[in-house]
Amino acid sequence: GRIGATGHSMGGTLTVMLAGCDTRIRAAAPSCGGVGQAPDRLRARPGNAARPRNTSRAYAECIDEVNYLKRITCPIVYLGPQNDFNGLVDELFMNWEGIPSKHVAFVVSKHLNHRHEQAAAFADALWFEQHLKGTVTLPQTPALAAEIRGPIGIPRATVTPDAPHAAERVDIFYSVDTNGQ
């Protein structure tokens, strides 16, 4: 009743596959893996950096993590950096939006490749403490409202944490790169 799965890189991919096919998994925390191939709407962006699609039928039906993501019902948190070579963040957010789990979260480190900031390195342990043991309660994902204002398109973002008194600071990063890099 309290089985968690985690892994890094290929281990992250296997974590998603396991969580999507074994209902005994009660919480999952893939790291730098488990994103899936780029969806068509990302490939349609001019200048996108999506890897060439693997056209193998066996890959598409059995290996691509997208098949497993749509079957995940346990709480799942993705840990990875913004600039990971193993999966574009846009692929992650597009492919993960259909996960049926009621608890889907993301811990994304800035400006790294295939590793985490020190502050994010413990997120998987806290995820398991909350969802397997019930010993901690993590904050909810903050609400984000973003808009482009004025004739020259000045971005404005408002972040609202669920526990504002507990937030020390908020850093907002944005990109104008087609691939969110």
Side-chain angles (χ1 to χ4, degrees):
R2 294 192 299 180
I3 299 174
T6 189
H8 181 75
S9 195
M10 185 56 165
T13 297
L14 294 172
T15 296
V16 163
M17 295 170 125
L18 182 62
C21 70
D22 190 335
T23 57
R24 295 175 298 171
I25 303 301
R26 301 292 191 219
S31 166
C32 298
V35 172
Q37 289 198 80
D40 291 337
R41 64 185 173 143
L42 178 60
R43 290 178 187 284
R45 287 184 184 169
N48 76 76
R51 294 179 187 159
R53 185 180 302 281
N54 186 324
T55 58
S56 158
R57 182 175 174 213
Y59 184 90
E61 293 178 5
C62 302
I63 299 172
D64 188 351
E65 299 98 303
V66 172
N67 299 306
Y68 299 90
L69 292 169
K70 57 188 165 188
R71 299 178 61 197
I72 294 175
T73 56
C74 70
I76 185 166
V77 60
Y78 180 84
L79 300 104
Q82 169 70 24
N83 298 337
D84 190 30
F85 76 90
N86 197 37
L88 297 174
V89 171
D90 286 346
E91 288 177 20
L92 168 70
F93 292 131
M94 287 180 181
N95 286 337
W96 278 49
E97 68 186 8
I99 294 177
S101 173
K102 294 177 184 173
H103 303 283
V104 179
F106 304 93
V107 176
V108 179
S109 297
K110 62 186 182 306
H111 308 305
L112 295 174
N113 182 13
H114 220 57
R115 60 191 176 97
H116 308 286
E117 292 176 303
Q118 189 174 13
F122 62 90
D124 54 347
L126 289 175
W127 190 256
F128 292 135
E129 287 290 326
Q130 176 172 328
H131 293 286
L132 298 179
K133 296 181 179 179
T135 56
V136 300
T137 300
L138 296 171
Q140 296 295 311
T141 300
L144 172 66
E147 61 184 321
I148 304 294
R149 289 186 157 188
I152 60 170
I154 298 172
R156 178 182 173 143
T158 304
V159 177
T160 308
D162 70 330
H165 62 281
E168 291 181 20
R169 74 177 209 232
V170 174
D171 294 321
I172 299 174
F173 298 87
Y174 73 96
S175 174
V176 295
D177 185 292
T178 305
N179 298 295
Q181 300 293 328

